Amino acid sequence: SANLKGKDLLTLKDLTPEDIMFLLESAIILKEKHENGEIVKTLEGKTLGMIFEKSSTRTRVSFEAGMLQLGGNALFLSSQDLQIGRGETIGDTAQVLSQFIDAIMIRTFEHSKIEELAEYASIPVINGLTDDYHPCQALADLLTIYEHKQTFSGLKVAYVGDGNNVAHSLMIACAKMGVDCSIGCPSGYEPKEFVTEYAKKVASETGATITITENPVKAVQNADAIYADVWTSMGQEEEAKKRLEVFASYQVNDELVQHAKSDYLFLHCLPAHREEEVTASIIDGPNSVVFQQAGNRMHVQKALLQAILA
Ligand code: CP
Ligand code: NVA
């Protein structure tokens, strides 16, 4: 079993392929138990603090419900109501919260903020999304793909759209598991150079390929899974109008998916904007697994919390 006790999850760089496989297997067991109504109380008396500087439906509810199911507690801490919102430093907040609770999950803007929190906290810190990464999402994405394909070997995942936090974590996740990953994005909206370089380095060790292309057809060619995310992420609202134009030819629609394998899976981290990044015909169509994927957030995060805290 992987030894993740006491560790942070700031990005998937923190996990080895073996750690990831361990979490997926553990999530599958927890999911089956949950579906059979079996109670697993491995985190009795443990408290997770959840700091949110951005909106959330899935991350908030899946972490909170997951903690409660494991016998623990979760505190929703809106940054607007914390003293952080009035200028208390992240460092002071981290040192204080470390006295009260057992782990912190944070959703914030700059990735440097979560690094600062982790530096000052004496308890594990979990990334619930930053401007650069969304590792818990990528774990749920891997679980969903694994449930359908029963393997990672020989697969190709295509991500079409903005080279954002979700794309970054997906790319690293694929690289770690030896899955070919192809990103189709407009020029100027590629994943950040240092993330692509890291993913390529890992991929060279696992036998996978990482491809960045401006051509969405090339990206999805022969893909086993097609992934879409919003064109305008949280914090980029003022660019929304421009982005609608920039990404117009990157919509996942009936025409584009023709180039993937016929049994391709459609994935989306949600929330989605129908008829923008994806048509209703695809996200509500027979190849879409987006709600299973959303549900898997809870199962994989329970596995993570158990590994870090139990
Ligand atoms: N996918 C995801 O993280 O959703 P929320 O923003 O609702 O948490
Ligand atoms: N890229 C999106 C993901 C939301 C879950 C954002 O950062 O807003």
Side-chain angles (χ1 to χ4, degrees):
S1 82
N3 189 10
L4 296 173
K5 193 163 163 74
K7 293 217 173 127
D8 295 327
L9 179 62
L10 303 191
T11 85
L12 287 182
K13 295 176 199 171
D14 295 334
L15 301 178
T16 65
E18 293 71 31
D19 292 337
I20 293 173
M21 214 51 230
F22 170 81
L23 291 175
L24 300 183
E25 299 289 1
S26 164
I28 289 168
I29 294 168
L30 286 165
K31 180 173 180 175
E32 197 180 311
K33 289 192 172 164
H34 178 71
E35 283 169 355
N36 294 334
E38 261 181 75
I39 288 165
V40 181
K41 294 212 165 181
T42 42
L43 295 182
E44 242 162 4
K46 304 280 187 191
T47 301
L48 174 72
M50 309 186 300
I51 303 176
F52 282 91
E53 297 202 277
K54 293 174 177 171
S55 304
S56 170
T57 295
R58 279 144 290 272
T59 304
R60 176 183 176 175
V61 180
S62 60
F63 266 108
E64 181 159 344
M67 255 336 259
L68 298 185
Q69 286 169 24
L70 292 171
N73 302 292
L75 303 175
F76 173 69
L77 305 168
S78 160
S79 62
Q80 285 184 352
D81 302 321
L82 292 173
Q83 296 287 11
I84 272 188
R86 295 180 55 251
E88 186 169 22
T89 66
I90 291 179
D92 287 0
T93 305
Q95 292 178 78
V96 171
L97 292 181
S98 295
Q99 317 294 312
F100 303 143
I101 60 182
D102 302 283
I104 303 172
M105 185 245 88
I106 182 167
R107 166 167 289 193
T108 187
F109 292 88
E110 297 90 346
H111 191 71
S112 58
K113 281 196 186 174
I114 196 176
E115 290 175 336
E116 191 182 347
L117 186 77
E119 190 185 322
Y120 286 95
S122 58
I123 55 176
V125 173
I126 299 171
N127 184 346
L129 183 146
T130 60
D131 288 346
D132 285 347
Y133 299 104
H134 200 358
C136 295
Q137 180 66 53
L139 290 173
D141 303 340
L142 285 176
L143 177 57
T144 310
I145 293 168
Y146 190 68
E147 285 178 324
H148 282 273
K149 304 292 178 188
Q150 300 297 317
T151 180
F152 288 120
S153 105
L155 297 183
K156 173 180 173 179
V157 171
Y159 173 99
V160 184
D162 187 21
N164 61 17
N165 44 11
V166 168
H168 285 171
S169 289
L170 182 71
M171 201 161 70
I172 297 174
C174 288
K176 294 248 176 190
M177 303 322 281
V179 173
D180 290 343
C181 183
S182 180
I183 311 278
C185 55
S187 165
Y189 295 84
E190 294 92 350
K192 289 186 180 171
E193 193 78 29
F194 68 94
V195 181
T196 303
E197 264 172 43
Y198 173 80
K200 282 189 172 168
K201 188 183 79 128
V202 172
S204 73
E205 292 157 11
T206 61
T209 57
I210 305 293
T211 311
I212 315 289
T213 172
E214 270 188 66
N215 184 342
V217 171
K218 191 181 158 212
V220 305
Q221 195 75 53
N222 211 30
D224 298 279
I226 301 179
Y227 201 118
D229 184 14
V230 292
W231 292 337
T232 300
S233 286
M234 291 181 277
Q236 301 172 330
E237 288 77 8
E238 71 288 350
E239 298 172 29
K241 200 168 163 258
K242 181 185 177 202
R243 284 172 169 269
L244 272 179
E245 289 163 27
V246 170
F247 289 102
S249 55
Y250 291 82
Q251 184 186 65
V252 178
N253 54 31
D254 295 293
E255 200 183 313
L256 185 67
V257 302
Q258 293 303 316
H259 302 276
K261 292 209 177 113
S262 59
D263 65 346
Y264 82 92
L265 301 172
F266 177 73
L267 293 142
H268 192 306
C269 56
L270 305 179
H273 295 73
R274 283 174 179 73
E275 309 310 324
E276 287 186 22
E277 72 271 9
V278 59
T279 57
S281 63
I282 299 299
I283 193 170
D284 300 319
N287 295 60
S288 176
V289 293
V290 298
F291 296 113
Q292 177 185 351
Q293 181 188 2
N296 279 340
R297 290 290 303 278
M298 183 177 78
H299 305 299
V300 90
Q301 288 160 196
K302 283 170 74 178
L304 177 71
L305 290 164
Q306 219 178 234
I308 288 177
L309 289 176

